[in-house]
Structure formats: C-alpha cells, structure tokens
Coordinates of all heavy atoms in Angstrom, one line a residue:
P2 N 36.1 1.5 16.6 CA 37.5 1.8 16.3 C 37.9 1.4 14.9 O 39.0 1.8 14.5 CB 38.3 1.0 17.4 CG 37.4 0.8 18.5 CD 36.0 0.8 17.9
A3 N 37.0 0.8 14.2 CA 37.4 0.3 12.8 C 37.5 1.5 11.9 O 38.3 1.5 10.9 CB 36.4 -0.6 12.3
F4 N 36.8 2.6 12.1 CA 36.9 3.8 11.2 C 37.8 4.9 11.7 O 37.7 6.0 11.1 CB 35.4 4.3 11.0 CG 34.6 3.3 10.4 CD1 33.6 2.6 11.1 CD2 34.7 2.9 9.0 CE1 32.8 1.7 10.5 CE2 33.9 2.0 8.4 CZ 32.9 1.3 9.2
L5 N 38.5 4.7 12.7 CA 39.4 5.7 13.2 C 40.8 5.6 12.6 O 41.2 4.5 12.2 CB 39.6 5.6 14.8 CG 38.3 5.9 15.6 CD1 38.6 5.6 17.1 CD2 37.8 7.3 15.4
S6 N 41.4 6.8 12.4 CA 42.8 6.7 11.8 C 43.7 6.0 12.8 O 43.6 6.0 14.0 CB 43.2 8.1 11.5 OG 43.3 8.9 12.7
P7 N 44.8 5.4 12.2 CA 45.7 4.5 13.0 C 46.5 5.4 14.1 O 46.9 4.8 15.1 CB 46.6 3.9 12.0 CG 46.3 4.5 10.7 CD 45.1 5.3 10.8
G8 N 46.6 6.7 13.9 CA 47.4 7.4 14.8 C 46.7 7.8 16.1 O 47.3 8.4 17.0
L9 N 45.4 7.6 16.2 CA 44.6 8.0 17.3 C 44.5 6.9 18.3 O 44.3 5.7 18.0 CB 43.2 8.4 16.9 CG 43.1 9.7 16.1 CD1 41.6 9.9 15.6 CD2 43.5 10.9 16.8
S10 N 44.6 7.3 19.6 CA 44.5 6.3 20.7 C 43.0 6.2 21.0 O 42.2 7.0 20.7 CB 45.3 6.6 21.9 OG 44.9 7.8 22.4
Q11 N 42.7 5.2 21.8 CA 41.3 5.0 22.2 C 40.7 6.1 23.0 O 39.6 6.5 22.9 CB 41.2 3.7 23.1 CG 39.8 3.2 23.3 CD 39.3 2.4 22.1 OE1 39.9 2.4 21.0 NE2 38.2 1.8 22.3
G12 N 41.5 6.8 23.9 CA 41.0 7.8 24.8 C 41.1 9.2 24.3 O 40.6 10.2 24.9
S13 N 41.7 9.5 23.1 CA 41.9 10.8 22.7 C 40.6 11.4 22.0 O 39.8 10.6 21.5 CB 43.1 10.9 21.7 OG 42.7 10.2 20.5
Q14 N 40.4 12.7 22.0 CA 39.3 13.3 21.4 C 39.6 13.8 20.1 O 40.7 14.4 19.9 CB 38.7 14.4 22.3 CG 38.1 13.9 23.5 CD 37.0 14.9 24.0 OE1 37.0 16.0 23.6 NE2 36.2 14.5 24.9
V15 N 38.7 13.7 19.1 CA 38.9 14.1 17.8 C 38.2 15.5 17.6 O 37.0 15.6 18.0 CB 38.3 13.1 16.7 CG1 38.5 13.6 15.3 CG2 39.0 11.8 16.9
T16 N 38.9 16.5 17.1 CA 38.3 17.8 16.9 C 38.5 18.2 15.4 O 39.3 17.7 14.7 CB 38.9 18.9 17.8 OG1 40.3 19.0 17.5 CG2 38.7 18.5 19.2
L17 N 37.6 19.1 15.0 CA 37.8 19.7 13.6 C 39.0 20.6 13.6 O 39.4 21.2 14.6 CB 36.5 20.4 13.2 CG 35.3 19.6 13.2 CD1 34.1 20.5 12.9 CD2 35.4 18.5 12.1
R18 N 39.5 20.8 12.4 CA 40.6 21.7 12.2 C 40.2 23.1 12.6 O 39.1 23.5 12.2 CB 41.1 21.7 10.8 CG 42.0 20.5 10.5 CD 42.5 20.6 9.1 NE 41.6 19.7 8.3 CZ 41.3 19.8 7.1 NH1 41.8 20.7 6.3 NH2 40.5 18.9 6.5
G19 N 41.0 23.8 13.3 CA 40.7 25.2 13.6 C 39.9 25.4 14.9 O 39.5 26.5 15.2
T20 N 39.5 24.3 15.5 CA 38.7 24.4 16.8 C 39.5 23.8 17.9 O 40.4 22.9 17.7 CB 37.3 23.7 16.6 OG1 37.6 22.3 16.4 CG2 36.5 24.2 15.5
S21 N 39.2 24.2 19.1 CA 39.8 23.6 20.3 C 38.9 22.5 20.8 O 37.7 22.5 20.7 CB 40.1 24.7 21.3 OG 38.9 25.3 21.7
A22 N 39.5 21.6 21.6 CA 38.8 20.5 22.2 C 37.9 21.1 23.3 O 38.3 22.0 24.0 CB 39.8 19.5 22.7
P23 N 36.7 20.6 23.4 CA 35.8 21.1 24.5 C 36.3 20.7 25.9 O 36.9 19.6 26.0 CB 34.5 20.4 24.2 CG 34.8 19.2 23.4 CD 36.1 19.6 22.6
A24 N 36.1 21.5 26.8 CA 36.6 21.2 28.2 C 35.7 20.1 28.8 O 34.5 20.1 28.5 CB 36.5 22.5 29.1
P25 N 36.3 19.2 29.5 CA 35.5 18.1 30.1 C 34.6 18.7 31.1 O 34.9 19.6 31.9 CB 36.5 17.1 30.7 CG 37.8 17.9 30.8 CD 37.7 19.0 29.8
V26 N 33.4 18.1 31.2 CA 32.4 18.6 32.2 C 32.6 17.9 33.5 O 32.7 16.7 33.6 CB 30.9 18.2 31.7 CG1 29.9 18.6 32.7 CG2 30.7 18.8 30.3
Q27 N 32.7 18.7 34.5 CA 33.0 18.2 35.9 C 31.7 18.3 36.7 O 31.1 19.3 36.7 CB 34.1 19.0 36.6 CG 35.4 19.0 35.9 CD 36.1 17.6 36.1 OE1 35.9 16.9 37.0 NE2 36.9 17.3 35.1
G28 N 31.3 17.3 37.3 CA 30.2 17.3 38.2 C 28.8 17.5 37.5 O 27.9 18.0 38.1
G29 N 28.8 17.1 36.3 CA 27.5 17.3 35.5 C 26.5 16.2 35.8 O 26.8 15.3 36.7
A30 N 25.4 16.3 35.2 CA 24.3 15.3 35.5 C 24.7 14.0 34.8 O 25.2 13.9 33.7 CB 23.0 15.8 34.9
S31 N 24.4 12.9 35.5 CA 24.7 11.6 35.0 C 23.7 11.2 33.9 O 22.6 11.8 33.9 CB 24.8 10.5 36.1 OG 23.5 10.4 36.6
A32 N 24.0 10.2 33.1 CA 23.1 9.8 32.1 C 21.8 9.2 32.7 O 20.7 9.3 32.2 CB 23.7 8.8 31.2
A33 N 21.9 8.5 33.8 CA 20.8 7.9 34.5 C 19.8 9.0 35.0 O 18.6 8.9 34.9 CB 21.2 7.1 35.7
S34 N 20.3 10.1 35.5 CA 19.4 11.2 36.0 C 18.7 11.9 34.9 O 17.6 12.3 35.0 CB 20.2 12.1 36.9 OG 21.1 12.9 36.2
V35 N 19.5 12.1 33.7 CA 18.9 12.7 32.6 C 17.8 11.8 32.0 O 16.7 12.3 31.7 CB 19.9 13.0 31.5 CG1 19.3 13.5 30.2 CG2 20.9 14.0 32.0
T36 N 18.0 10.5 32.0 CA 17.0 9.6 31.5 C 15.8 9.6 32.4 O 14.6 9.6 31.9 CB 17.6 8.2 31.4 OG1 18.7 8.2 30.5 CG2 16.6 7.2 30.8
S37 N 16.0 9.6 33.7 CA 14.8 9.6 34.6 C 14.0 10.9 34.5 O 12.8 10.8 34.6 CB 15.3 9.3 36.0 OG 16.1 10.4 36.5
I38 N 14.7 12.0 34.3 CA 13.9 13.2 34.1 C 13.1 13.2 32.9 O 11.9 13.6 32.8 CB 14.9 14.4 34.1 CG1 15.5 14.7 35.4 CG2 14.2 15.7 33.6 CD1 16.6 15.7 35.4
G39 N 13.6 12.6 31.8 CA 12.9 12.5 30.5 C 11.7 11.5 30.7 O 10.6 11.8 30.2
V40 N 11.8 10.4 31.5 CA 10.7 9.5 31.7 C 9.7 10.2 32.5 O 8.5 10.0 32.3 CB 11.3 8.2 32.4 CG1 10.1 7.4 32.9 CG2 12.1 7.4 31.4
L41 N 10.1 10.9 33.6 CA 9.1 11.6 34.4 C 8.3 12.7 33.6 O 7.1 12.8 33.8 CB 9.8 12.3 35.6 CG 10.3 11.3 36.7 CD1 11.1 12.0 37.7 CD2 9.1 10.5 37.3
A42 N 9.0 13.4 32.7 CA 8.3 14.4 31.9 C 7.3 13.8 31.0 O 6.2 14.3 30.8 CB 9.4 15.2 31.2
T43 N 7.7 12.7 30.4 CA 6.8 12.0 29.5 C 5.6 11.4 30.2 O 4.4 11.5 29.8 CB 7.5 10.8 28.8 OG1 8.7 11.3 28.1 CG2 6.6 10.1 27.8
A44 N 5.8 10.9 31.4 CA 4.7 10.4 32.2 C 3.8 11.5 32.6 O 2.5 11.4 32.7 CB 5.2 9.7 33.5
A45 N 4.3 12.7 33.0 CA 3.5 13.8 33.4 C 2.6 14.3 32.2 O 1.4 14.6 32.4 CB 4.4 15.0 33.9
V46 N 3.2 14.3 31.0 CA 2.4 14.7 29.9 C 1.3 13.7 29.6 O 0.1 14.1 29.3 CB 3.3 14.9 28.6 CG1 2.5 15.0 27.3 CG2 4.2 16.1 28.8
A47 N 1.6 12.4 29.7 CA 0.6 11.4 29.5 C -0.6 11.5 30.5 O -1.7 11.3 30.1 CB 1.2 10.0 29.5
I48 N -0.2 11.7 31.7 CA -1.2 11.8 32.8 C -2.1 13.1 32.5 O -3.3 13.0 32.7 CB -0.6 11.9 34.2 CG1 0.0 10.5 34.5 CG2 -1.6 12.3 35.2 CD1 0.9 10.5 35.7
A49 N -1.5 14.2 32.2 CA -2.3 15.4 31.9 C -3.2 15.2 30.7 O -4.3 15.7 30.7 CB -1.3 16.5 31.7
A50 N -2.7 14.5 29.7 CA -3.6 14.2 28.5 C -4.7 13.3 28.9 O -5.9 13.5 28.4 CB -2.8 13.7 27.4
A51 N -4.5 12.3 29.7 CA -5.5 11.4 30.1 C -6.6 12.0 31.0 O -7.7 11.7 31.0 CB -4.9 10.1 30.8
A52 N -6.1 13.0 31.9 CA -7.0 13.6 32.8 C -7.9 14.6 32.2 O -9.0 14.9 32.7 CB -6.2 14.3 33.9
R53 N -7.5 15.2 31.0 CA -8.3 16.2 30.3 C -9.6 15.5 29.8 O -9.5 14.5 29.1 CB -7.5 16.8 29.2 CG -8.2 17.9 28.5 CD -7.3 18.5 27.5 NE -7.1 17.5 26.4 CZ -7.1 17.7 25.1 NH1 -7.2 18.9 24.7 NH2 -6.9 16.7 24.3
P54 N -10.7 16.1 30.0 CA -11.9 15.5 29.4 C -11.9 15.6 27.9 O -11.5 16.6 27.3 CB -13.1 16.3 30.0 CG -12.4 17.6 30.4 CD -11.0 17.3 30.7
A55 N -12.5 14.6 27.3 CA -12.5 14.5 25.8 C -13.5 15.6 25.4 O -14.6 15.6 25.9 CB -12.9 13.1 25.4
L56 N -13.1 16.4 24.4 CA -14.0 17.4 23.8 C -14.8 16.7 22.7 O -14.2 16.2 21.8 CB -13.2 18.5 23.3 CG -12.4 19.3 24.4 CD1 -11.6 20.4 23.7 CD2 -13.3 19.9 25.4
R57 N -16.1 16.7 22.8 CA -16.9 16.2 21.7 C -17.6 17.3 21.1 O -18.3 18.1 21.7 CB -17.9 15.2 22.3 CG -17.2 14.0 22.8 CD -18.2 13.0 23.3 NE -17.6 11.8 23.8 CZ -18.2 10.7 24.2 NH1 -19.5 10.6 24.0 NH2 -17.5 9.7 24.7
T58 N -17.4 17.4 19.8 CA -18.1 18.4 19.0 C -19.0 17.7 18.1 O -18.7 16.7 17.5 CB -17.2 19.3 18.3 OG1 -16.4 18.5 17.4 CG2 -16.2 20.0 19.2
R59 N -20.2 18.2 17.9 CA -21.1 17.7 16.9 C -21.1 18.5 15.7 O -21.2 19.7 15.7 CB -22.6 17.7 17.5 CG -22.7 16.8 18.6 CD -24.1 16.7 19.1 NE -24.3 15.7 20.1 CZ -25.4 15.1 20.4 NH1 -26.4 15.3 19.6 NH2 -25.4 14.2 21.3
K60 N -21.0 17.8 14.6 CA -20.9 18.5 13.3 C -22.3 18.5 12.7 O -23.0 17.5 12.8 CB -20.0 17.8 12.4 CG -18.5 17.9 12.8 CD -17.6 17.2 11.9 CE -16.2 17.3 12.4 NZ -15.3 16.6 11.5
A61 N -22.7 19.6 12.2 CA -24.0 19.7 11.6 C -24.0 19.1 10.3 O -23.1 19.3 9.5 CB -24.5 21.2 11.5
V62 N -25.0 18.2 10.0 CA -25.1 17.6 8.7 C -26.1 18.3 7.9 O -27.3 18.4 8.4 CB -25.4 16.1 8.9 CG1 -25.6 15.4 7.6 CG2 -24.4 15.4 9.7
T63 N -25.7 18.8 6.8 CA -26.7 19.5 6.0 C -26.9 18.6 4.7 O -26.0 18.0 4.2 CB -26.2 20.9 5.6 OG1 -25.0 20.7 4.9 CG2 -26.1 21.8 6.8
C64 N -28.2 18.6 4.3 CA -28.5 17.8 3.1 C -28.9 18.8 2.0 O -29.9 19.6 2.2 CB -29.7 16.9 3.4 SG -30.1 15.9 2.0
H65 N -28.1 18.9 1.0 CA -28.4 19.8 -0.1 C -29.1 19.1 -1.2 O -28.8 17.9 -1.5 CB -27.1 20.4 -0.6 CG -26.3 21.2 0.3 ND1 -26.7 22.5 0.7 CD2 -25.2 20.9 1.0 CE1 -25.9 22.9 1.6 NE2 -24.9 22.0 1.8
A66 N -30.2 19.7 -1.7 CA -30.9 19.1 -2.8 C -30.0 19.1 -4.0 O -29.2 20.0 -4.2 CB -32.2 19.9 -3.1
F67 N -30.1 18.1 -4.9 CA -29.3 18.0 -6.1 C -29.7 19.1 -7.1 O -30.9 19.2 -7.4 CB -29.4 16.6 -6.7 CG -28.6 16.5 -7.9 CD1 -27.2 16.5 -7.9 CD2 -29.2 16.4 -9.2 CE1 -26.5 16.4 -9.1 CE2 -28.5 16.3 -10.3 CZ -27.1 16.3 -10.3
D68 N -28.8 19.9 -7.5 CA -29.1 20.9 -8.5 C -28.2 20.7 -9.7 O -27.0 20.9 -9.7 CB -28.8 22.3 -7.9 CG -29.2 23.4 -8.8 OD1 -29.9 23.2 -9.8 OD2 -28.7 24.6 -8.6
P69 N -28.8 20.3 -10.8 CA -28.0 20.0 -12.0 C -27.4 21.3 -12.6 O -26.5 21.2 -13.4 CB -29.0 19.3 -13.0 CG -30.3 19.6 -12.5 CD -30.2 19.9 -11.0
A70 N -28.0 22.4 -12.3 CA -27.5 23.7 -12.9 C -26.1 24.1 -12.4 O -25.4 24.9 -13.0 CB -28.4 24.8 -12.5
V71 N -25.6 23.4 -11.3 CA -24.3 23.8 -10.8 C -23.2 22.7 -11.1 O -22.1 22.7 -10.7 CB -24.3 24.0 -9.3 CG1 -25.1 25.2 -8.9 CG2 -24.7 22.8 -8.5
Q72 N -23.6 21.7 -12.0 CA -22.7 20.6 -12.4 C -21.8 21.1 -13.4 O -22.0 22.2 -14.1 CB -23.5 19.4 -12.9 CG -24.4 18.8 -11.9 CD -23.6 18.3 -10.7 OE1 -22.7 17.6 -10.9 NE2 -24.1 18.6 -9.5
V73 N -20.7 20.4 -13.7 CA -19.8 20.7 -14.7 C -20.5 20.7 -16.1 O -21.2 19.7 -16.4 CB -18.6 19.7 -14.7 CG1 -17.6 19.9 -15.8 CG2 -17.9 19.7 -13.4
G74 N -20.2 21.7 -16.8 CA -20.8 21.8 -18.2 C -21.8 22.9 -18.3 O -22.2 23.3 -19.4
A75 N -22.3 23.4 -17.2 CA -23.2 24.5 -17.2 C -22.4 25.8 -17.3 O -21.7 26.1 -16.4 CB -24.1 24.6 -15.9
T76 N -22.4 26.4 -18.5 CA -21.5 27.5 -18.7 C -22.3 28.8 -19.0 O -23.5 28.7 -19.5 CB -20.6 27.3 -19.9 OG1 -21.4 27.0 -21.0 CG2 -19.7 26.1 -19.6
K77 N -21.7 29.9 -18.8 CA -22.3 31.2 -19.1 C -22.2 31.4 -20.6 O -21.2 31.0 -21.2 CB -21.7 32.3 -18.3 CG -22.0 32.2 -16.9 CD -21.4 33.4 -16.1 CE -21.7 33.3 -14.6 NZ -21.1 34.4 -13.9
P78 N -23.0 32.1 -21.3 CA -24.2 32.7 -20.9 C -25.4 31.8 -21.0 O -26.5 32.2 -20.6 CB -24.4 33.9 -21.9 CG -23.8 33.3 -23.2 CD -22.6 32.4 -22.7
F79 N -25.3 30.6 -21.4 CA -26.4 29.7 -21.6 C -26.9 29.0 -20.3 O -28.1 28.8 -20.2 CB -26.1 28.6 -22.6 CG -25.6 29.2 -23.9 CD1 -24.3 29.0 -24.3 CD2 -26.5 29.9 -24.7 CE1 -23.9 29.5 -25.5 CE2 -26.0 30.4 -25.9 CZ -24.7 30.2 -26.3
G80 N -26.0 28.7 -19.4 CA -26.3 28.1 -18.1 C -26.6 26.6 -18.4 O -26.0 26.0 -19.3
F81 N -27.4 26.0 -17.6 CA -27.7 24.6 -17.8 C -28.7 24.4 -18.9 O -29.8 24.9 -18.9 CB -28.2 24.0 -16.4 CG -28.5 22.5 -16.5 CD1 -27.5 21.6 -16.6 CD2 -29.9 22.1 -16.4 CE1 -27.8 20.3 -16.7 CE2 -30.1 20.7 -16.5 CZ -29.1 19.8 -16.6
F82 N -28.4 23.6 -19.9 CA -29.3 23.4 -21.0 C -30.0 22.0 -20.9 O -29.4 21.0 -21.0 CB -28.4 23.4 -22.3 CG -29.2 23.3 -23.6 CD1 -30.0 24.3 -24.0 CD2 -29.2 22.1 -24.3 CE1 -30.7 24.2 -25.2 CE2 -29.9 22.0 -25.5 CZ -30.7 23.1 -25.9
D83 N -31.3 22.1 -20.6 CA -32.2 21.0 -20.5 C -33.5 21.3 -21.1 O -34.5 21.5 -20.4 CB -32.3 20.5 -19.1 CG -33.1 19.2 -19.0 OD1 -33.1 18.4 -19.9 OD2 -33.6 19.0 -17.9
P84 N -33.6 21.4 -22.5 CA -34.9 21.9 -23.1 C -36.1 21.0 -22.9 O -37.2 21.4 -22.8 CB -34.5 22.1 -24.5 CG -33.4 21.2 -24.8 CD -32.6 21.2 -23.5
M85 N -35.8 19.7 -22.8 CA -36.9 18.7 -22.6 C -37.3 18.5 -21.2 O -38.3 17.8 -20.9 CB -36.5 17.4 -23.3 CG -36.2 17.5 -24.8 SD -37.7 18.0 -25.7 CE -38.6 16.5 -25.7
G86 N -36.5 19.0 -20.2 CA -36.8 18.9 -18.8 C -36.6 17.5 -18.3 O -37.2 17.1 -17.3
F87 N -35.6 16.7 -18.8 CA -35.3 15.4 -18.3 C -34.7 15.4 -16.9 O -35.0 14.5 -16.1 CB -34.4 14.7 -19.3 CG -35.0 14.2 -20.6 CD1 -34.4 14.7 -21.8 CD2 -36.1 13.4 -20.6 CE1 -35.0 14.3 -23.0 CE2 -36.7 13.1 -21.8 CZ -36.1 13.5 -23.0
A88 N -33.9 16.5 -16.6 CA -33.3 16.5 -15.3 C -34.0 17.4 -14.3 O -33.4 17.8 -13.3 CB -31.8 17.0 -15.5
K89 N -35.3 17.7 -14.6 CA -36.0 18.6 -13.8 C -36.2 18.1 -12.3 O -35.9 18.7 -11.4 CB -37.4 18.9 -14.4 CG -38.1 20.0 -13.6 CD -39.4 20.3 -14.3 CE -39.1 21.3 -15.4 NZ -40.3 21.8 -16.1
N90 N -36.6 16.8 -12.2 CA -36.9 16.2 -10.9 C -36.2 14.9 -10.7 O -36.7 14.0 -10.2 CB -38.4 16.0 -10.7 CG -39.2 17.3 -10.6 OD1 -38.7 18.3 -10.1 ND2 -40.4 17.3 -11.3
C91 N -34.9 14.9 -11.1 CA -34.2 13.6 -11.0 C -33.1 13.7 -9.8 O -32.7 14.8 -9.4 CB -33.5 13.3 -12.3 SG -32.1 14.3 -12.8
T92 N -32.7 12.6 -9.4 CA -31.7 12.5 -8.3 C -30.3 12.6 -9.0 O -30.2 12.6 -10.2 CB -31.8 11.2 -7.5 OG1 -31.6 10.1 -8.4 CG2 -33.2 11.0 -6.9
E93 N -29.3 12.6 -8.1 CA -27.9 12.7 -8.7 C -27.6 11.4 -9.5 O -26.9 11.5 -10.5 CB -27.0 12.9 -7.5 CG -25.5 13.2 -8.0 CD -24.6 13.5 -6.9 OE1 -25.0 13.5 -5.7 OE2 -23.4 13.8 -7.2
Q94 N -28.0 10.3 -9.0 CA -27.7 9.0 -9.7 C -28.4 9.0 -11.1 O -27.8 8.6 -12.0 CB -28.2 7.8 -8.9 CG -27.4 7.6 -7.6 CD -27.8 8.5 -6.5 OE1 -28.8 9.1 -6.4 NE2 -26.9 8.6 -5.5
E95 N -29.6 9.5 -11.1 CA -30.3 9.5 -12.4 C -29.7 10.5 -13.4 O -29.5 10.3 -14.6 CB -31.8 9.9 -12.2 CG -32.6 8.8 -11.5 CD -34.0 9.3 -11.0 OE1 -34.2 10.5 -11.0 OE2 -34.8 8.5 -10.7
F96 N -29.2 11.6 -12.8 CA -28.6 12.6 -13.6 C -27.3 12.1 -14.2 O -26.9 12.3 -15.4 CB -28.3 13.9 -12.8 CG -27.5 14.9 -13.5 CD1 -28.2 15.8 -14.4 CD2 -26.1 15.1 -13.4 CE1 -27.5 16.8 -15.1 CE2 -25.4 16.1 -14.0 CZ -26.1 16.9 -14.9
N97 N -26.5 11.4 -13.4 CA -25.2 10.8 -13.8 C -25.5 9.7 -14.9 O -24.7 9.6 -15.8 CB -24.5 10.2 -12.7 CG -23.9 11.3 -11.8 OD1 -23.6 12.4 -12.2 ND2 -23.6 11.0 -10.5
K98 N -26.6 9.0 -14.8 CA -27.0 8.0 -15.8 C -27.3 8.7 -17.1 O -26.9 8.2 -18.2 CB -28.2 7.2 -15.3 CG -28.6 6.1 -16.2 CD -29.8 5.4 -15.7 CE -30.4 4.4 -16.7 NZ -31.6 3.7 -16.3
L99 N -28.1 9.8 -17.0 CA -28.4 10.5 -18.3 C -27.1 11.1 -18.9 O -27.0 11.1 -20.1 CB -29.4 11.6 -18.0 CG -30.8 11.2 -17.6 CD1 -31.6 12.4 -17.1 CD2 -31.5 10.5 -18.8
R100 N -26.3 11.7 -18.1 CA -25.0 12.3 -18.6 C -24.1 11.2 -19.2 O -23.5 11.4 -20.3 CB -24.3 13.0 -17.5 CG -22.9 13.5 -17.9 CD -22.3 14.5 -17.0 NE -23.0 15.7 -17.2 CZ -22.7 16.8 -16.5 NH1 -21.8 16.8 -15.5 NH2 -23.3 18.0 -16.7
G101 N -24.1 10.0 -18.6 CA -23.3 8.9 -19.2 C -23.8 8.5 -20.5 O -23.1 8.2 -21.4
A102 N -25.2 8.5 -20.6 CA -25.8 8.1 -21.9 C -25.4 9.2 -23.0 O -25.2 8.8 -24.1 CB -27.3 7.9 -21.8
E103 N -25.5 10.4 -22.6 CA -25.1 11.5 -23.6 C -23.7 11.4 -24.0 O -23.4 11.5 -25.2 CB -25.3 12.9 -22.9 CG -26.8 13.3 -22.8 CD -26.9 14.6 -22.2 OE1 -25.9 15.2 -21.7 OE2 -28.0 15.2 -22.2
I104 N -22.8 11.1 -23.1 CA -21.4 11.0 -23.5 C -21.2 9.7 -24.3 O -20.4 9.7 -25.3 CB -20.5 10.9 -22.2 CG1 -20.5 12.3 -21.5 CG2 -19.1 10.5 -22.6 CD1 -19.9 12.3 -20.2
K105 N -21.9 8.6 -24.0 CA -21.7 7.4 -24.7 C -22.2 7.5 -26.2 O -21.6 7.0 -27.1 CB -22.6 6.3 -24.0 CG -22.5 5.0 -24.8 CD -23.4 4.0 -24.0 CE -23.4 2.6 -24.7 NZ -24.3 1.7 -24.0
H106 N -23.3 8.3 -26.4 CA -23.8 8.4 -27.7 C -23.4 9.7 -28.4 O -23.9 10.0 -29.4 CB -25.4 8.4 -27.6 CG -25.9 7.1 -27.1 ND1 -25.8 5.9 -27.8 CD2 -26.5 6.7 -25.9 CE1 -26.3 4.9 -27.1 NE2 -26.7 5.4 -25.9
G107 N -22.4 10.4 -27.9 CA -21.7 11.5 -28.5 C -22.5 12.7 -28.6 O -22.5 13.5 -29.6
R108 N -23.3 13.1 -27.6 CA -24.0 14.3 -27.6 C -23.4 15.3 -26.6 O -22.9 15.1 -25.6 CB -25.5 14.1 -27.1 CG -26.2 13.3 -28.2 CD -27.7 13.2 -27.8 NE -28.1 12.0 -28.4 CZ -28.9 11.2 -27.7 NH1 -29.3 11.4 -26.5 NH2 -29.3 10.1 -28.2

C-alpha cells in the first residue's frame, strides 16, 4: 500500500485508462489446486525422464598424422616451403619448436 495513490481504497481494482475492469472469476480453480497440478506435472516429467534408458553413443576417435603442409603459412602457389627437409618426419611439438625458433630469429 505504500506505492498506491491516496484516493484508492484497499479493495478497489486499478485499471488502465480506457479499459474496463475485468469481471471477477466465479467458481474458478483455487490456488492450491493449480499448485498441485503443477507439482504433479513436474513429477510426471521427472519420472518419465528417469524411466527412459540412457542413450550411449560412442564417438569414433580418429588420429590424423601431423601434416606441416596444412599449417598456417603454407600459401599458394608455393605451398609449404621446407627446402632442407627439417619438417619431413617431425611431430607437431617439434614443428612448433622449429617455427618458434624461426620467429625468434626473424626468418
């Protein structure tokens, strides 16, 4: 009641300008029955979800060999430039170490 205008009584309904007051609902559902329907619906959904068997899918794990020719920096028309063959049989960690050394030394 602290935010109501002083001319309104406790039991009166406030409506917007240009609208009529809604008609009171007679014989409608009580708040307790609406709440119990909501609780029952939630319980039914929970039971249905628990009763459903868990679907287990296996994901295929593929192991791709490291290919330095598809790394950043391999551009057309030259492609991957490795004239000395340093990256021919190296792992990704070794390739990153070589690339870091090239960047560090300005090549």
